């Protein structure tokens, strides 16, 4: 990754030690990420995403199993958190039975190896084409009980521009995260993806959206923030003095005095 030195410098300059998601592309072997893991681990916590939601439908259960096993063998305890399923209720991933079989298998591998686990859900209030994939009902019905009891983190992906530019009020987020905390009694809850899928959106619009979500005063039980701006490597580099979006992130992460 040619931008790795800039990425490391930008993360190291943030006012809090960040958690960096590494999306392991299906077409790349684990060895392609050795340098990134080695460079990022000293300055950030690492969350590994073995299979992105866009790749789940095309991966068999055997593929999903093998990908998790290979990454565990390659990186093991150098990864702080394993995202065993990404946007798992999304309509594009396939049937609920297929998706949960893959995610549950990955979860059980990581748990058996002593790793910490997370899933990311896709929030789609009144904007799903198939109501069977609405986040909370789908989660209640389809996530296996051992995952509900055992997951360490349950995260929510939300993109306003994928949901008619709807911005949920704080009361709605408190309700969503409170219910997730009830469904997953031992997990911390928070945001797993923020951003805009409109890559050409104005910079001030991205900065306003980032600031809004990163500073939401959610009071649900075990809420931990999170957020994970999806296009960090694309949007935040090069970082200051030229990048106003990196500056907005830095300010949002600066502890209140």
């Amino acid at each position: 990754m040619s931008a790795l030195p800039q990425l490391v410098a930008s993360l190291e300059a943030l006012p809090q030690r960040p958690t960096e998601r590494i999306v392991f592309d299906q077409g790349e072997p684990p060895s392609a990420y050795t340098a990134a893991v080695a460079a990022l681990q000293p300055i950030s916590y690492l969350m590994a995403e073995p299979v992105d939601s866009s790749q789940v439908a095309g991966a068999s259960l055997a593929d999903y199993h093998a990908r998790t096993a290979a990454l565990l063998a390659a990186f093991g305890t150098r990864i702080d958190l394993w995202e065993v399923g990404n946007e798992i209720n999304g309509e594009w991933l396939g049937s609920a039975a297929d998706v949960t079989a893959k995610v549950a298998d990955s979860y059980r591998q990581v748990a058996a190896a002593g790793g910490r686990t997370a899933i990311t859900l896709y929030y789609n209030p009144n904007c799903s084409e198939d109501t069977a994939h609405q986040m909370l009902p789908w989660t209640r019905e389809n996530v296996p009980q051992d995952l509900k009891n055992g997951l360490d983190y349950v995260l929510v992906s939300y993109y306003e521009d994928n949901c008619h530019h709807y911005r949920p009020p704080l009361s709605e987020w408190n309700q969503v995260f409170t219910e997730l905390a009830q469904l997953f009694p031992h997990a911390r809850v928070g945001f797993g993806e923020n951003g805009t899928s409109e890559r050409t959106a104005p910079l001030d619009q991205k900065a306003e959206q980032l600031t809004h979500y990163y500073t939401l005063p959610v009071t649900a039980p075990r809420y931990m923030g999170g957020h994970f701006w999806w296009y960090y490597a694309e949007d935040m580099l090069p970082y200051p003095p030229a990048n106003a979006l990196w500056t907005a992130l830095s300010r949002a992460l600066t502890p209140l005095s």
Side-chain angles (χ1 to χ4, degrees), residues 33-80:
Y33 295 89
T34 301
V37 171
L40 293 169
Q41 187 187 21
I43 53 93
S44 66
Y45 303 108
L46 298 181
M47 180 167 75
E49 184 188 300
V51 184
D52 184 60
S53 67
S54 63
Q55 301 171 332
V56 171
S60 67
L61 177 58
D63 293 335
Y64 209 104
H65 177 95
R67 188 62 170 169
T68 302
L71 292 168
L72 276 170
F75 300 117
T77 56
R78 285 182 285 174
I79 299 297
D80 299 286

Side-chain angles (χ1 to χ4, degrees), residues 71-204:
L71 292 168
L72 276 170
F75 300 117
T77 56
R78 285 182 285 174
I79 299 297
D80 299 286
L81 182 62
W82 295 84
E83 186 184 2
V84 297
N86 175 252
E87 298 181 326
I88 62 175
N89 61 300
E91 298 164 54
W92 59 96
L93 277 72
S95 72
D98 285 346
V99 172
T100 54
K102 296 168 186 175
V103 172
D105 178 88
S106 185
Y107 163 81
R108 290 161 189 157
Q109 285 190 72
V110 174
R116 292 193 294 176
T117 54
I119 59 169
T120 299
L121 303 166
Y122 184 70
Y123 192 48
N124 47 9
N126 302 314
C127 56
S128 59
E129 294 181 10
D130 182 351
T131 56
H133 287 264
Q134 289 186 352
M135 188 184 79
L136 287 169
W138 190 98
T139 301
R140 284 193 295 267
E141 183 174 347
N142 293 295
V143 174
Q145 193 61 45
D146 64 324
L147 272 69
K148 288 177 178 173
N149 290 334
L151 281 161
D152 296 292
Y153 294 85
V154 175
L155 308 173
V156 171
S157 168
Y158 187 64
Y159 294 83
E160 291 182 2
D161 48 0
N162 287 344
C163 200
H164 313 303
H165 295 274
Y166 171 62
R167 175 166 291 182
L170 177 59
S171 59
E172 184 171 334
W173 286 122
N174 273 318
Q175 181 178 354
V176 165
F177 286 117
T178 295
E179 180 157 354
L180 288 176
Q182 292 169 347
L183 286 170
F184 299 89
H186 306 294
R188 299 186 71 183
V189 298
F191 284 99
E193 287 186 35
N194 277 153
T196 172
S197 57
E198 297 175 356
R199 297 299 310 286
T200 59
L203 184 62
D204 58 350

